[in-house]
Amino acid sequence: MENNNPKISVVVPVYNVEAYLNRCVDSILDQTVENLEIILVDDGSTDGSGKICDEYGEKYEQIRVHHKTNGGLTSAWKCGVNLASGEYVGFVDSDDWIDSHMYERMLCLALQESADVTVCGLVFDFEDPKIPRREEISNFGKEVYSREELEALFPSLINDGRFFGRTLQPARVTKLFRTELIRKNMKYCEEGVALGEDMQITFPVLLDTRKLCVVRDFYPYHYWINNKSITGKYDCDYMEKVKLLASRLQFISREKGVYDFSDQIRNDFLSMTVLTVKNEIYRNYKAGRKRVTANVKRICEDTQVREALERHTMDRLSLSIRLYLRLMKKGHYSLCYWLVLVFFKVNYYLGREYKRQ
């Protein structure tokens, strides 16, 4: 029989977030659901975050604190899942916060339908008041999905023919998971993956899910974008991170063997490659146009990228994306450079840039 008062374990990976940690933890303490534990995993913080965690642990019985050496986001939340004692697991990142009724509403639907995974939406909150808030949720069309109905989504799960056309929004923070299911799939989570980490767990878990529920029109998770995030840092390893994520998704697809996601993974890889080009142009512009353009050429002429440009199956692309992919394919790298400086700068300040990868 289903436990009518199951415990939820909320895992919070913590690393150098002393300015935001109180807001995060207080929002979880304020949850209206009764049976809840909070697991703060201090991933080797060098600021005051670890001390703040200990203060919460001493004050509140339902808060457990674990300190570990720095190993990255994936290692921190995996550690938290191993410590969880609840029947369900949720995640909150330590610079974000949640509305007080988030877990009560998700748990209520999960129990009502005996769901393995329950999904809600998130809202992007920007420190810069000029940038409007934006809501995001997985592209599921109804409230309850049986196993057969989930399998019917597999042909468009990772890509539905559009640029970043993910039916499954990969964010782990908008999901309430049955603990046994997420533990079963943690073996697929490679700690070296530093881009799109969430897809490593939401993808294999969904492939094993017997029933999934969606709390429709519900955006209780607040994903914080501060001004430092907006300006960002140039990442010279971005392309290698994109490749690693694609290879991990391909590995999971083969291991699970329930559907061939190869074409969709290639489409998703190409979408991520466009972001790689953007990263090179928008964040590395101080290196000078010639160097940046040469780097764009190197990215676009990579063998794996060339294959994706030639063989992608995205047939629902906007005119602007089709044009940009054509420029990449035909080697018009100077045009790529100038278009990004204009196009992506506008999108930054319209809030369109922020998707949890």
Side-chain angles (χ1 to χ4, degrees), residues 263-328:
D263 287 346
Q264 293 181 62
I265 292 169
R266 184 187 300 112
N267 292 345
D268 194 69
F269 168 78
L270 184 56
S271 297
M272 295 288 286
T273 298
V274 173
L275 290 195
T276 307
V277 172
K278 179 274 305 182
N279 171 73
E280 181 62 45
I281 296 171
Y282 191 78
R283 298 192 190 280
N284 196 31
Y285 69 93
K286 290 183 179 179
R289 183 179 59 82
K290 287 185 178 180
R291 178 179 293 182
V292 169
T293 304
N295 289 344
V296 170
K297 178 180 179 181
R298 174 178 50 79
I299 292 167
C300 294
E301 295 185 358
D302 175 89
T303 303
Q304 191 173 343
V305 174
R306 296 307 302 176
E307 181 190 20
L309 285 167
E310 295 287 346
R311 297 183 58 196
H312 79 83
T313 58
M314 290 184 283
D315 56 1
R316 301 171 63 191
L317 296 174
S318 67
L319 179 61
S320 61
I321 293 296
R322 288 204 306 271
L323 171 62
Y324 203 81
L325 291 177
R326 184 172 179 80
L327 293 176
M328 290 170 61

Side-chain angles (χ1 to χ4, degrees), residues 81 178-188 201 204-205 207-209 256:
V81 170
R178 199 180 292 276
T179 305
E180 63 188 62
L181 189 57
I182 201 166
R183 281 197 177 130
K184 173 185 173 184
N185 284 283
M186 283 203 306
K187 62 185 179 182
Y188 296 110
I201 192 61
V205 162
L207 297 186
D208 286 345
T209 296
K256 290 292 185 181

